[in-house]
Amino acid sequence: GSDECGGNAPLASAAPLASAAAPKNWELSAEYKKGFDGVNGTVEADAALMSAEELTDSMAAQDAAFHQRLMHKAEWAALDASERAAANAARLADAYAALQEEQEWAIEAAAAAASDSLERARVQAQDAATVEAVHSQADLF
């Protein structure tokens, strides 16, 4: 008959898969009596068999615990990454400060060299003017 073919099994029905997969409390006490009765006289059917709803709740709890561990790892990874980023930013700031200091030193050195060059040019111009004056005076004689 239909019982032998599994006519009462949820997935053998014509119902859509979604409704078949939804948590249900299937009536299994007849199956329990047929298959397990007498194996251990103290075990009750309700205690021996977990309902689909309890199974779903248990899986959800395990899933939540897994996600919590995953989130904890992700938070630590994010914290580690942010600490590394902060350390890199500090190194970058130090490098920028050193570069700025170096540039300031280079600018000061260039300014000093320019000042020296201007002074030398002024002295040379003055010397040239003196020589020119001496020559022009010599031309007079």
Side-chain angles (χ1 to χ4, degrees):
S2 66
D3 285 335
E4 290 171 22
C5 299
N8 292 333
L11 294 177
S13 69
L17 188 59
S19 67
K24 292 179 185 145
N25 284 321
W26 296 314
E27 180 51 52
L28 298 171
S29 53
E31 280 297 317
Y32 172 79
K33 281 195 180 5
K34 192 163 67 173
F36 296 99
D37 210 14
V39 174
N40 182 347
T42 61
V43 177
E44 291 292 322
D46 289 343
L49 300 169
M50 182 182 279
S51 71
E53 190 175 347
E54 288 171 328
L55 183 62
T56 305
D57 290 347
S58 169
M59 289 169 68
Q62 289 174 12
D63 195 40
F66 171 75
H67 279 290
Q68 196 170 4
R69 286 196 308 276
L70 204 61
M71 285 301 297
H72 187 66
K73 282 184 182 178
E75 285 167 8
W76 276 107
L79 181 65
D80 187 41
S82 75
E83 284 175 355
R84 279 200 308 268
N88 286 338
R91 280 203 297 275
L92 184 62
D94 289 348
Y96 181 72
L99 181 64
Q100 221 172 3
E101 201 174 295
E102 202 173 298
Q103 283 176 339
E104 285 170 8
W105 177 85
I107 289 167
E108 286 171 9
S115 177
D116 288 350
S117 294
L118 282 172
E119 181 59 25
R120 275 199 303 276
R122 191 184 63 73
V123 168
Q124 285 174 350
Q126 196 173 8
D127 288 350
T130 304
V131 169
E132 183 66 31
V134 168
H135 280 293
S136 57
Q137 281 184 351
D139 288 345
L140 293 175
F141 295 105

